[in-house]
Amino acid sequence: MTPAQLRAFCLAFTDASEDFPFGPDTSVFKVAGKMFALASLDARPLRVNLKCDPEIAVRLRAEHPAVVPGYHMNKRHWNTVTVTELPDRMVRELIEDSYDLVVAGLPRAVRLRLDRP
């Protein structure tokens, strides 16, 4: 997955937006104002921080060297994923899971507004 593909995939979700609160080099992807992905799209190798269920996060870290505790994040709930070392399909699933976790934590009225196929 290229940086452009990562960006386009993150922005394809309902109500997803890109923001730069940590400076021009760090893309923060949000839904309803809540972060679900964070990446320096110019960095090599390409890495992205993604929210993850704590139990699944531990399993992913044990199974994949490309998945480590979230850099500068709450390590219980966030993973840093080296995109270039995992299959694109898996990266897309991890991004979607992160988005879904964030949406699940939003107020019911917001969740209903974001309902997607």
Side-chain angles (χ1 to χ4, degrees):
M1 179 178 283
T2 67
Q5 290 169 327
L6 174 73
R7 182 177 185 273
F9 188 75
C10 287
L11 291 174
F13 291 104
T14 303
D15 200 38
S17 63
E18 183 178 20
D19 196 7
F20 299 91
F22 305 118
D25 297 330
T26 305
S27 293
V28 176
F29 299 97
K30 297 179 177 182
V31 56
K34 302 289 184 180
M35 180 169 45
F36 70 92
L38 173 116
S40 288
L41 298 177
D42 293 332
R44 297 297 177 264
L46 178 59
R47 292 186 179 99
V48 61
N49 283 3
L50 300 169
K51 193 166 182 108
C52 189
D53 176 88
E55 291 178 18
I56 296 171
V58 170
R59 182 178 50 81
L60 287 169
R61 294 171 194 166
E63 294 174 0
H64 303 282
V67 180
V68 298
Y71 182 70
H72 285 300
M73 306 295 281
N74 179 326
K75 296 181 183 351
R76 178 170 157 76
H77 296 277
W78 289 84
N79 283 331
T80 297
V81 176
T82 303
V83 174
T84 54
E85 294 180 19
L86 293 174
D88 286 358
R89 180 178 175 190
M90 182 177 182
V91 173
R92 285 191 298 272
E93 288 172 358
L94 293 172
I95 294 169
E96 185 172 7
D97 289 348
S98 180
Y99 175 88
D100 289 343
L101 272 174
V102 172
V103 168
L106 295 172
R108 184 174 186 272
V110 177
R111 287 194 318 265
L112 291 173
R113 182 176 56 81
L114 296 174
D115 194 21
R116 61 191 179 100

